[in-house]
Each structure stands twice: as structure tokens, then as C-alpha cells.
Amino acid sequence: MFHFSNIVRTKGDPKIVEGGPSLKQPADQLARALGWFSIGLGVFELFAPRRVTETLGMEGHETLVRAFGVREILTGIMSLSVEKNAGLWARVGGDGLDAAALLSGLTADNPKKGNIALALLTVGGIAALDYRTAQDTRPQRPPRDARRKLYPRRSGFPKGIESVRTAARQIAALARPNEMKQGDARGVP
């Protein structure tokens, strides 16, 4: 990616020779991948709902598939944002809706029950991944019963303010003879 960064840099800016190690945690990278996957799936569901319903033997539910596509896109965008944890939890809820919709198509007269069973397995696996990633990316907060740390007696000077003043006087006293010597050398009174 740093090659693309060099293209947009202005002339005179230092060039990026190589990228450093990523500071992102694996859970953050997985959340990002799930966000992009969600957006891709949502776009497919939004623009090709008939292919989805034909594959599952659930013709006539194209509007529902489009609505799920919009939901996937929105949760994907949220998973890529700063509030990725909320987006991942929304994805977990959406997986439940997907499973419920798939179960409604698992009837005895549906000739494509095998596809629905495969889709249910896939949704279950992705739901487990969403749940695990949402757990790993939850915001870190101190426990409710944690004692707040206060430092009312600290001044920033571990030996006290008077020792700092003494040290400053000593440094000033040492500097004066040197200034006088330099002033004599330059002929300044």
C-alpha cells in the first residue's frame, strides 16, 4: 500500500521506502475482512436477488433479499468504521435473521432443500466468526468496581520543589564564572 502513498505525496516530501509492521490486532483485521465481505454480499443481494432466490428455491422473496442486502451493506460499513464492535454485533443479529429466513424455506415441497441446508451451515459458521470477532474487539473499559487513581500529593518533583530551586541556584552559580570569562575574552565589561 505504501507504493500508492508515494503517488499522492507532494514533491519534496520524503518517499516511503517500505512499510512497517502493522499495529492492527488480528481481531481488527478480521473485523475489517468481515466488513468487506458483508459489503460484497450485500451488493450481490441488492442487485441479483433473483439468483439468490432461484438457488435456494425461494422464488417470490426478492424484496426480502434486497432488504437483507441493504442491511449487509450498512453493517459492513459500520464494521469498517471506528465503531466496528457495534457493526459486528449487528452482523450477529443479521445472521440470526438470515437463519430464520432460510428455515422458512426449508419445507418438504422445496426441491432445493440441500442448498438451503448448505446455506444454513455457512450462515452458522459466519455467525460464529462474527460472534468471536465481536467478543475480541469489544472496547476495553475498567471494571465498575475499579478504584480510581488519584495523586493529590504529587507535584511532579520527586525530591520536592525546594531541591529543584537549590539545583537551579547551583547551576546558575556555576554558569556565572564562565560567562564572566567569556565576557573578558570578548572585551565586554
Side-chain angles (χ1 to χ4, degrees):
M1 287 305 282
F2 62 88
H3 295 293
F4 297 112
S5 298
N6 285 333
I7 294 171
V8 296
R9 295 177 79 88
T10 58
K11 190 175 184 179
D13 285 348
K15 287 192 172 195
I16 300 171
V17 179
E18 84 181 79
S22 176
L23 296 176
K24 293 178 186 168
Q25 299 294 322
D28 294 332
Q29 292 176 337
L30 185 57
R32 190 171 180 82
L34 286 170
W36 283 113
F37 171 75
S38 184
I39 290 172
L41 180 63
V43 167
F44 182 73
E45 288 177 340
L46 185 63
F47 293 110
R50 187 169 300 256
R51 296 206 44 174
V52 174
T53 56
E54 285 175 358
T55 302
L56 298 173
M58 298 176 65
E59 290 86 358
H61 293 88
E62 285 80 13
T63 305
L64 181 66
V65 172
R66 280 192 192 104
F68 281 8
V70 170
R71 184 204 72 220
E72 287 282 349
I73 291 170
L74 293 177
T75 57
I77 290 170
M78 194 180 290
S79 296
L80 295 174
S81 72
V82 177
E83 296 293 331
K84 61 182 163 265
N85 192 258
L88 290 168
W89 282 115
R91 281 188 47 81
V92 171
D95 292 336
L97 290 175
D98 289 344
L102 287 170
L103 284 173
S104 71
L106 202 57
T107 57
D109 60 339
N110 188 348
K112 297 183 178 176
K113 287 188 289 191
N115 290 346
I116 289 181
L118 186 63
L120 277 170
L121 282 174
T122 305
V123 167
I126 291 173
L129 203 57
D130 288 338
Y131 178 78
R132 179 66 189 186
T133 308
Q135 288 285 324
D136 290 346
T137 59
R138 71 175 176 258
Q140 301 294 323
R141 295 189 177 104
R144 288 178 185 245
D145 60 343
R147 190 166 171 214
R148 189 171 168 202
K149 293 179 181 178
L150 299 173
Y151 305 101
R153 295 179 185 214
R154 288 191 180 180
S155 67
F157 302 105
K159 293 181 182 176
I161 189 70
E162 193 56 42
S163 68
V164 173
R165 288 181 182 147
T166 303
R169 282 188 210 115
Q170 290 172 351
I171 290 171
L174 288 173
R176 279 190 204 123
N178 290 338
E179 288 175 3
M180 292 180 73
K181 288 178 187 174
Q182 290 174 355
D184 291 341
R186 287 183 276 164
V188 178

